[in-house]
Amino acid sequence: MAIANTSSALSFATVLSQPPAKLQFCRQCLRSFSTSQAMLAGHNKWSKTKHIKAVTDKKKMAERTAFTKLIAMYSRTSVPKALVEAAIARGQGRSAAGAQLESMTFEVLMPPNIALIADIETDNKTRTLHDLKYVVKKAGGVTGSTSFYFSRRGRIIFRNKQGGPTLSDLLEEAIEHDGADDVEELPDGDFLVLTEPTQLMAITEALSKRFGLEVVESDIIWAANDDTRTAIDTKQSVESLDALLTGLREYSEVKAIFANINQGSITEEEWERVERHMYV
């Protein structure tokens, strides 16, 4: 620490040179030399950090216990051990053999104007593309560029609770955050929030914390552009889509499928056959 006043420094040195019995300090000399405010017991940063860490660790432990029980349950049922291990490996970004997984998109057109796009994770792009193209051809579709039918969006689903916020409450809070695009109330009372992809995590955390809501899903999706959507009106379209989607879903490399479709004049049962396979 630099001492600007030389005479003050000499005076202080003179005082220190006095014999112990003659040392006398004025109240001004006894002041603290620290420029930081003294911290009160129980209010320091480490105390707060330890408290937050304890809560977080407890939550993580509860989640791990729940997942462990779930894995144990499936391992006791008809699910082969190899499938359980493969699923765990994929969750860690690798194949069952330990190879690193690569992400890619797979784009499909179904005549006359149905567009699909799938998110893929694979350890062998060539093999996966060959297998999926065969499924598409068998179902009467073709592979081709469809990404212009869609936009990348952040998607959050919050589970509402008794006495929880209304749609208006969520809307008012959402507009305070850059990147929040839309808020909808789902038929079951939960909330759907669409965001800019780069703001997904920030908005998820902000709304969850503000209203104490459970996050059911928080991911980045391919959302069909409104002007490219097409209605499904015929049973033939349902049969073709169901065949295609069922075939694609047989491959574990396919993580999610998106389509530019809406329910047209088909029945609820027919719509369910299509919708169950994808994010619509």
Side-chain angles (χ1 to χ4, degrees):
M1 179 178 68
I3 300 177
N5 193 321
T6 306
S7 61
S8 296
L10 291 174
S11 298
F12 188 67
T14 302
V15 172
L16 290 179
S17 65
Q18 298 296 321
K22 296 183 179 180
L23 282 178
Q24 294 182 355
F25 294 96
C26 64
R27 294 180 63 86
Q28 182 69 12
C29 295
L30 289 174
R31 71 185 187 278
S32 171
F33 286 92
S34 173
T35 58
S36 301
Q37 183 178 1
M39 292 183 292
L40 301 177
H43 293 273
N44 60 75
K45 182 178 179 181
W46 174 236
S47 175
K48 183 178 180 181
T49 301
K50 286 195 296 183
H51 175 69
I52 295 173
K53 185 176 186 300
V55 173
T56 303
D57 288 348
K58 185 177 180 180
K59 182 178 179 181
K60 286 182 178 179
M61 183 58 69
E63 291 175 347
R64 289 170 182 167
T65 301
F67 288 138
T68 300
K69 290 180 179 179
L70 188 61
I71 294 170
M73 179 189 73
Y74 280 115
S75 67
R76 289 194 297 268
T77 59
S78 58
V79 180
K81 180 181 177 182
L83 290 182
V84 175
E85 292 177 345
I88 294 172
R90 285 192 172 277
Q92 297 173 344
R94 57 184 175 81
S95 69
Q100 189 68 32
L101 297 178
E102 295 182 85
S103 298
M104 58 180 286
T105 56
F106 184 65
E107 302 171 53
V108 179
L109 284 166
M110 289 290 287
N113 52 3
I114 297 174
L116 300 99
I117 189 166
D119 284 335
I120 310 294
E121 285 186 352
T122 178
D123 61 347
N124 189 321
K125 288 186 175 181
T126 303
R127 183 201 66 227
T128 299
L129 283 174
H130 177 271
D131 292 344
L132 298 183
K133 284 180 178 180
Y134 175 76
V135 173
V136 171
K137 183 178 180 180
K138 186 178 179 180
V142 294
T143 56
S145 178
T146 61
S147 59
F148 61 89
Y149 286 87
F150 303 86
S151 299
R152 269 309 212 187
R153 307 287 292 278
R155 175 178 178 269
I156 316 165
I157 295 180
F158 292 106
R159 177 163 292 137
N160 206 352
K161 58 185 179 179
Q162 186 174 4
T166 65
L167 178 60
S168 296
D169 294 333
L170 216 64
L171 277 169
E172 288 180 7
E173 180 65 24
I175 62 177
E176 297 296 326
H177 301 275
D178 292 336
D181 293 337
D182 193 17
V183 180
E184 300 176 16
E185 186 170 10
L186 301 176
D188 58 4
D190 292 345
F191 297 111
L192 167 66
V193 180
L194 296 177
T195 75
E196 292 295 324
T198 56
Q199 298 301 313
L200 173 65
M201 295 306 297
I203 294 175
T204 299
E205 183 178 353
L207 296 183
S208 175
K209 183 178 180 180
R210 170 66 178 81
F211 298 107
L213 296 177
E214 177 187 350
V215 178
V216 179
E217 295 180 23
S218 179
D219 50 12
I220 296 176
I221 66 169
W222 292 98
N225 300 324
D226 290 337
D227 60 349
T228 68
R229 288 186 176 273
T230 184
I232 303 300
D233 294 316
T234 67
K235 186 174 182 179
Q236 181 180 357
S237 294
V238 173
E239 296 293 339
S240 298
L241 277 171
D242 188 36
L244 171 63
L245 298 171
T246 299
L248 293 176
R249 279 299 192 183
E250 290 180 356
Y251 291 86
S252 60
E253 291 91 343
V254 177
K255 312 311 296 179
I257 306 174
F258 309 87
N260 67 330
I261 59 176
N262 287 325
Q263 181 181 0
S265 57
I266 60 176
T267 66
E268 288 291 339
E269 184 179 353
E270 289 171 330
W271 177 243
E272 171 60 25
R273 288 179 61 187
V274 176
E275 189 182 33
R276 64 182 176 172
H277 295 290
M278 64 176 71
Y279 291 103
V280 178

